[in-house]
Amino acid sequence: GITRLPIDLMIKNDIVHCQRTLAAVEEDAIRRKVPFTGAILVEDLDGLGWKDLKVEKLRFLGKLFEGRRHMVPQTCTKILIINAPMMFVRAWGLIKGWLVRPHTAALVE
């Protein structure tokens, strides 16, 4: 689960995976001779439950959103959350102000 590994290790692991994905997308853009812009970050929250809505887990999720946005600040134009349970949708409206920066929160749909 999310609490078994130290948060810094999970974030480093996420950064490595994101960099690999971004490198592949950038390589494709170069090959096709198109600009690498307008990226949409998709976060799949399938399986998220009440047990996951603890403060430390929400802060971790916020750090992932922030870290991913900072990796491609001029490229990421939207963060699309899919498979979010209704309780997350309701909670997001209450917690987004302290969970992520306003610019990042504005990108989330």
Side-chain angles (χ1 to χ4, degrees), residues 8 11 14 18 20 26 31 36 45 47 50 58 76 82 86-90 96 104-105 108:
D8 61 328
I11 290 172
D14 186 66
C18 286
R20 288 178 177 167
E26 183 179 32
R31 181 185 52 77
F36 179 39
L45 299 184
W50 284 110
L58 292 172
C76 188
I82 62 171
M86 186 53 67
M87 55 89 182
F88 177 82
V89 174
R90 290 186 181 136
K96 67 182 177 183
T104 303
V108 176

Side-chain angles (χ1 to χ4, degrees), residues 3 6 9 13 15 17 19 27 31 35 37 40 46 48 51 61 64 70 75 77 79 83 87-88 90 97-98 102 106:
T3 58
L9 182 60
N13 188 47
I15 289 170
H17 290 291
Q19 286 178 332
E27 196 173 298
R31 181 185 52 77
T37 59
I40 298 173
D46 186 38
L48 186 76
K51 67 185 181 322
L61 186 60
L64 285 183
H70 286 297
T75 307
T77 58
I79 300 172
N83 297 319
M87 55 89 182
F88 177 82
R90 290 186 181 136
W98 60 267

Side-chain angles (χ1 to χ4, degrees), residues 17-74:
H17 290 291
C18 286
Q19 286 178 332
R20 288 178 177 167
T21 302
L22 290 171
V25 173
E26 183 179 32
E27 196 173 298
D28 178 64
I30 291 169
R31 181 185 52 77
R32 293 184 301 123
K33 297 182 170 83
V34 297
F36 179 39
T37 59
I40 298 173
L41 172 62
V42 179
E43 296 287 346
D44 187 351
L45 299 184
D46 186 38
L48 186 76
W50 284 110
K51 67 185 181 322
D52 301 310
L53 291 182
K54 295 181 180 170
V55 174
E56 70 273 4
K57 292 180 182 184
L58 292 172
R59 285 193 178 133
F60 170 72
L61 186 60
K63 286 181 181 184
L64 285 183
F65 285 179
E66 287 291 320
R68 291 175 180 183
R69 186 187 69 79
H70 286 297
M71 289 173 65
V72 284
Q74 303 301 318

